[in-house]
Amino acid sequence: MLKELQTTAAHAPVPSDQNLLNSLPLAIYTTDAQGRITFFNDAAAAFAGRQPALGEMWCVTWRLFWPNGAPLPHDQCPMAIALRERRPVRGMEALAERPDGSRVPFMPYPTPLFDENGELIGAINALVDLSDQKHAQAQSAQAQTLAAQYPESAEKQTSMADSVARTQRDFELLVRSVTDYAIFMLDPTGHVSSWNSGAERIKGYRAEEIIGQHFSRFYTQEDQESAVPQRALTTALHEGRFETEGWRVRKDGTRFWANTVIDPVWDTGRLVGFVKVTRDATTRRNAELALFESERRFRGIVNTALDAFAQIDESGRITEWNPQAQELFGWPREQVLGKPLATLCFPSGDTAAPEWLASAWQEKQLRQTHPFTAMTRSGRRFTAELNASVLTLASGPLMNIFMRDLTEKIQMEAQLRQSQKMEALGQLTGGIAHDFNNILQAISSSLEVLEIISRREQLSTGQRHIHNALSSVRRAAGLTHRLLAFARRQALDPQAVDVGVLIAGMSELLRHSIGEQITLELVLPNELWTAHCDANQLENAILNLAINARDAMPRGGRLRIEASNVYGDDPSGFNVLDPGSCYVKIVVADSGTGMPSDVKERAFDPFYTTKPVGQGTGLGLSMVYGFTRQSGGHCAIESELGEGTRIILLLPRYVGPVEPRVEPMAAIGSPAASGEHILLVEDQEVIRGVITEVLNKLGYVVTQASDGLEGLSIAMAGETFDLIITDIGLPGVSGRSLADTVRSRRPEVPVLLITGYDPSAMHASPSLPAGMALLSKPFNVETLSEQVRQLIEWRHAQREPGSA
């Protein structure tokens, strides 16, 4: 029946079972959640002394007073308290004044009603008329006295007692019919004395099974051991009420989450027991826990997201804001909630992002956007990417927005494009320089042989022209060396270099190069690491940078060269180096004119220069860039127009023992060639022929091979050679492989490597061991002769007794 009353209270029509309720002599009425009447039976109308109207407040049908006659305010009446505090109200007496002015004492039993989701839908109230009870109590003594004298008075008293009994039975009938609440009485010691149908449904015990049993059996074992049931009765007794929630146990041993209220029951100042009302709140608790877990998962996902997250309502105001958003934009969460997203995160006057968000509201689906301009709390603007989706909820739609700072991505893409461009240019220039060097070698060698012949035969007529041609060849060779440096294909001799000592040793040269109007500052700490690079190329790079800085300061200024140690994961490492490695950082900074952005982007390009025609080749910075990259490091420019320029070199740290380089001892006097046997491996026929002719004229015996495989076969055939001269870039077996193979079997045989460029020089080359040397094309006869002499002298030294 209570379910029918709940449905009535929620939907306002009169209960379908009116006859049953109207047949009860107990006054009963129901209200909605606001206290408006949704039903009343005939006994309730008779009790009120008027016919109330559905929809009005019951308490306005009469005036209420406390039992002592003082006015009872509406907000303190039992029904108002039950609805406001969402709990049953018991043990409260009141006086009601009917429209005719008569007053009736009564005791209300208002009980709030809830739906399956735990939402308040109304209340039911039973009004017990205490007039007869009060009258009976007042005349009890007199009735007993008159009973002996006037038997008819005793009969009348008996009839009155029967009426009260019927009222009590009717009320008990109502209580027993409630199935959504377990309502039962306890005696003063806590033993069950009454049991309704709701208690049987919720707890699983029939009345005959549980009446007389102690109510502590409904508690868990741990609660019983902690004396929770006894404390509940004690609290109710001393405070007038005890209300709590917790686990309770059914007859079958299963647990349910219970909402429990215990009220003491008094009779003329004497405790007669307790009334206990229990409601199964498991469904509500599970729903609350599910909501809590869902919110916690949502919060965990949002707070650990890599991107900044904001949630806004339809008005554009922020309802959620994660730590990443706070870090990105600089606004704390407590300061942004309820404020418009557009005014906090986008520049004023920029409508692109707000218009895009407005279109996302209309489409109500995930949108991925192109970059937008965003703004931090400090006013810094940056490019951001927004992803948005609309979430439809019963309380209204919300929009989830993920925002990502694209600054680093844009920088990385620019670095990648620059790297790809430099790689393409390097491949092009390296290939051209290689072929050009071979051509120059053939020309220069032929011209030098011709010059030697002309000098011997005293033909002075053509010597001037031969000299001019050789000078042009040397200038072209310098150009190809710079191109190979940019292409990272130059022949390097990396070794342990004390950068501080090297730069300090260049101080006088640098001062003469930059002039007196420029101040030179050197910052070289004592604890500087040793770098692994080609010392000669590092000197050339620093000198080139100093000259460029001088040209940027025509009216004088300050040139500062400093060095320091950095790790690969240091932010100053440009995020492009190996995090597990260490580097020596060299900074060449000037106070000159600086570079505009378009010049800075092309500064490392070969042949790019801002100098007038004829005053620069545009290969200075490109050579520095190629040298550092080939050495396993990095090079970067920091410059602003009017703010000067900083060129940063990062060179890998040398790891390992520093061994002194063994130099061949110079022979006294002219070379003493005595028919030493030399193996020459060169695939260019012209070069091979010219070198052979030069060596023959110097007194050496030469065996030729046109490729690496032929040269390796000859070298390993058993014949002993005093020196092997081999080009590195041979088809098939390379010159380096040939040299390594031969020296693994015969370490006493020296090797002279010659190269237009080394294909393996894209990476830093290891230092050459003793007995090996490197000669870059195009080289002159004198340099070739000196290298051959030194290596053959080293070969002779290995044969001497006691030599290593």
Side-chain angles (χ1 to χ4, degrees):
M1 182 171 300
L2 183 59
K3 291 184 177 179
E4 294 176 354
L5 292 178
Q6 290 175 332
T7 304
T8 300
H11 303 285
V14 178
S16 59
D17 201 1
Q18 296 182 32
N19 294 332
L20 176 60
L21 291 176
N22 281 330
S23 66
L24 293 175
L26 185 66
I28 296 175
Y29 70 95
T30 62
T31 71
D32 60 15
Q34 286 72 41
R36 295 186 295 262
I37 299 172
T38 58
F39 168 77
F40 58 92
N41 64 359
D42 294 341
F47 187 83
R50 65 182 290 269
Q51 189 78 10
L54 296 179
E56 71 177 5
M57 299 291 185
W58 177 269
C59 59
V60 302
T61 63
W62 49 16
R63 296 173 61 192
L64 295 179
F65 300 87
W66 292 106
N68 61 5
L72 177 61
H74 168 67
D75 61 349
Q76 296 182 29
C77 77
M79 177 59 83
I81 294 174
L83 290 173
R84 182 173 62 250
E85 300 183 7
R86 302 190 176 193
R87 64 177 179 83
V89 177
R90 300 292 184 268
M92 183 175 178
E93 294 185 17
L95 290 174
E97 184 176 284
R98 296 189 176 99
D100 61 2
S102 62
R103 293 188 179 185
V104 56
F106 72 99
M107 180 176 287
Y109 289 85
T111 302
L113 304 176
F114 303 89
D115 61 16
E116 295 179 353
N117 297 321
E119 295 293 331
L120 179 69
I121 61 174
I124 182 171
N125 199 2
L127 308 176
V128 178
D129 188 346
L130 301 179
S131 300
D132 292 341
Q133 181 179 348
K134 296 292 185 181
H135 184 70
Q137 290 174 354
Q139 295 184 346
S140 177
Q142 182 181 1
Q144 292 176 1
T145 302
L146 295 175
Q149 301 176 3
Y150 305 99
E152 65 276 10
S153 297
E155 292 176 2
K156 183 177 180 181
Q157 182 66 29
T158 301
S159 175
M160 185 183 301
D162 290 342
S163 176
V164 172
R166 284 197 304 271
T167 301
Q168 291 177 344
R169 284 196 304 271
D170 291 341
F171 180 71
E172 291 178 2
L173 177 63
L174 175 65
V175 170
R176 289 196 182 104
S177 66
V178 175
T179 58
D180 283 351
Y181 291 84
I183 303 174
F184 54 96
M185 291 287 295
L186 305 176
D187 64 20
T189 62
H191 292 81
V192 179
S193 59
S194 70
W195 195 250
N196 79 333
S197 59
E200 181 176 339
R201 185 186 68 83
I202 293 174
K203 297 182 181 291
Y205 294 96
R206 295 193 306 275
E208 58 271 20
E209 293 178 309
I210 199 63
I211 291 178
Q213 301 294 321
H214 199 272
F215 84 112
S216 60
R217 67 168 51 204
F218 306 139
Y219 287 75
T220 62
Q221 184 64 34
E222 51 268 30
D223 282 351
Q224 293 181 33
E225 293 173 355
S226 301
V228 172
Q230 288 76 9
R231 286 202 303 272
L233 294 183
T234 302
T235 302
L237 184 62
H238 287 87
E239 298 183 6
R241 162 177 285 264
F242 176 78
E243 184 171 2
T244 188
E245 287 194 354
W247 290 111
R248 297 295 182 266
V249 182
R250 296 187 178 93
K251 177 184 176 181
D252 60 6
T254 59
R255 296 188 177 192
F256 68 98
W257 189 259
N259 175 273
T260 301
V261 178
I262 302 177
D263 289 300
V265 180
W266 302 89
D267 184 10
T268 63
R270 182 176 61 88
L271 179 68
V272 296
F274 299 89
V275 61
K276 193 168 188 293
V277 181
T278 301
R279 181 171 182 265
D280 187 349
T282 306
T283 302
R284 175 179 58 79
R285 182 176 185 272
N286 290 341
E288 291 174 350
L289 287 176
L291 178 61
F292 173 77
E293 290 295 329
S294 176
E295 290 178 347
R296 189 169 65 176
R297 285 194 296 269
F298 168 77
R299 179 66 55 194
I301 293 171
V302 166
N303 287 349
T304 57
L306 297 177
D307 295 334
F309 172 82
Q311 187 180 79
I312 61 175
D313 58 20
E314 283 188 291
S315 66
R317 297 185 179 275
I318 299 172
T319 59
E320 283 295 341
W321 189 257
N322 75 342
Q324 288 72 24
Q326 176 174 328
E327 180 179 357
L328 178 59
F329 290 97
W331 292 100
R333 185 174 186 270
E334 60 273 11
Q335 294 184 17
V336 302
L337 296 181
K339 295 183 179 179
L341 176 72
T343 60
L344 296 178
C345 300
F346 305 114
S348 60
D350 186 355
T351 60
E355 288 176 355
W356 180 85
L357 290 175
S359 64
W361 276 115
Q362 295 176 357
E363 295 181 13
K364 288 184 170 54
Q365 60 183 357
L366 181 68
R367 284 173 57 93
Q368 293 186 347
T369 179
H370 57 276
F372 288 106
T373 299
M375 184 178 67
T376 66
R377 183 179 187 178
S378 62
R380 181 183 72 88
R381 299 191 180 196
F382 63 96
T383 302
E385 183 180 61
L386 274 65
N387 292 334
S389 61
V390 176
L391 182 65
T392 302
L393 302 175
S395 57
L398 296 172
M399 178 179 287
N400 294 332
I401 303 172
F402 286 92
M403 296 171 283
R404 177 178 300 176
D405 185 353
L406 296 181
T407 303
E408 184 176 348
K409 178 182 178 183
I410 293 172
Q411 291 175 348
M412 294 297 292
E413 289 176 348
Q415 290 178 359
L416 177 61
R417 288 193 297 270
Q418 177 70 5
S419 176
Q420 291 172 338
K421 180 185 74 172
M422 301 298 277
E423 180 67 24
L425 288 173
Q427 291 177 357
L428 175 63
T429 55
I432 293 174
H434 169 244
D435 293 339
F436 197 36
N437 272 341
N438 282 326
I439 295 172
L440 288 175
Q441 181 64 59
I443 295 173
S444 65
S445 298
S446 298
L447 286 172
E448 287 194 84
V449 171
L450 183 59
E451 186 180 41
I452 293 172
I453 295 173
S454 176
R455 205 182 298 119
R456 285 179 179 177
E457 298 181 5
Q458 297 182 349
L459 299 176
S460 59
T461 306
Q463 282 195 18
R464 179 170 61 87
H465 299 290
I466 294 173
H467 178 74
N468 291 340
L470 284 172
S471 296
S472 298
V473 168
R474 293 186 185 101
R475 288 177 58 193
L479 181 63
T480 58
H481 283 162
R482 287 175 175 250
L483 287 172
L484 287 173
F486 163 74
R488 291 174 280 165
R489 289 176 170 85
Q490 63 179 328
L492 296 180
D493 183 15
Q495 52 193 283
V497 177
D498 189 326
V499 174
V501 172
L502 183 144
I503 296 176
M506 295 179 63
S507 58
E508 289 301 318
L509 174 62
L510 292 172
R511 285 190 173 90
H512 287 302
S513 300
I514 62 178
E516 296 180 354
Q517 73 277 17
I518 297 175
T519 302
L520 177 64
E521 297 179 5
L522 301 180
V523 182
L524 307 170
N526 294 329
E527 64 276 9
L528 201 62
W529 293 330
T530 301
H532 189 225
C533 64
D534 189 311
N536 293 330
Q537 293 298 329
L538 178 57
E539 288 183 347
N540 289 338
I542 293 175
L543 184 60
N544 262 305
L545 296 177
I547 293 173
N548 279 354
R550 177 200 65 190
D551 295 341
M553 297 182 288
R555 299 182 181 178
R558 183 181 71 257
L559 175 63
R560 179 184 176 92
I561 301 177
E562 58 181 288
S564 59
N565 303 325
V566 298
Y567 292 92
D569 56 359
D570 192 289
S572 60
F574 310 107
N575 298 318
V576 296
L577 302 178
D578 181 4
S581 300
C582 303
Y583 300 86
V584 178
K585 179 180 180 180
I586 303 172
V587 180
V588 181
D590 64 62
S591 59
T593 56
M595 303 180 188
S597 58
D598 58 332
V599 173
K600 183 170 62 175
E601 290 177 0
R602 300 187 58 191
F604 289 138
D605 292 2
F607 302 112
Y608 178 76
T609 180
T610 57
K611 298 177 181 178
V613 177
Q615 295 187 19
T617 63
L619 289 171
L621 285 178
S622 62
M623 182 199 72
V624 174
Y625 175 86
F627 156 67
T628 54
R629 295 293 288 148
Q630 186 177 347
S631 299
H634 191 72
C635 183
I637 297 177
E638 294 179 355
S639 182
E640 295 292 339
L641 194 60
E643 300 294 333
T645 300
R646 298 174 77 244
I647 307 295
I648 302 170
L649 310 183
L650 290 168
L651 296 171
R653 179 186 182 184
Y654 178 82
V655 179
V658 180
E659 298 179 358
R661 184 173 176 80
V662 179
E663 299 290 347
M665 296 181 60
I668 300 175
S670 59
S674 55
E676 286 88 354
H677 197 176
I678 298 175
L679 173 62
L680 173 63
V681 187
E682 170 60 63
D683 61 325
Q684 299 290 323
E685 183 178 357
V686 175
I687 298 175
R688 187 172 66 246
V690 172
I691 293 177
T692 298
E693 184 175 351
V694 170
L695 293 176
N696 286 335
K697 289 184 181 297
L698 292 175
Y700 299 107
V701 177
V702 179
T703 298
Q704 298 184 31
S706 59
D707 57 45
L709 183 60
E710 182 184 3
L712 185 61
S713 299
I714 295 173
M716 303 301 293
E719 187 174 355
T720 302
F721 292 97
D722 297 292
L723 173 66
I724 296 176
I725 302 176
T726 177
D727 188 11
I728 291 179
L730 296 172
V733 178
S734 70
R736 281 185 180 271
S737 296
L738 186 153
D740 292 340
T741 303
V742 172
R743 284 178 64 84
S744 66
R745 303 281 185 88
R746 300 172 184 173
E748 75 282 357
V749 177
V751 176
L752 174 61
L753 299 171
I754 58 177
T755 180
Y757 88 103
D758 184 356
S760 65
M762 283 294 293
H763 307 286
S765 304
S767 300
L768 293 175
M772 289 185 68
L774 181 67
L775 194 59
S776 297
K777 298 177 183 177
F779 49 81
N780 55 38
V781 171
E782 183 179 353
T783 303
L784 173 64
S785 172
E786 180 65 19
Q787 285 283 10
V788 169
R789 183 187 63 79
Q790 289 183 3
L791 289 172
I792 287 182
E793 288 293 331
W794 180 86
R795 164 72 166 157
H796 291 331
Q798 306 307 302
R799 294 174 176 174
E800 294 178 1
S803 62

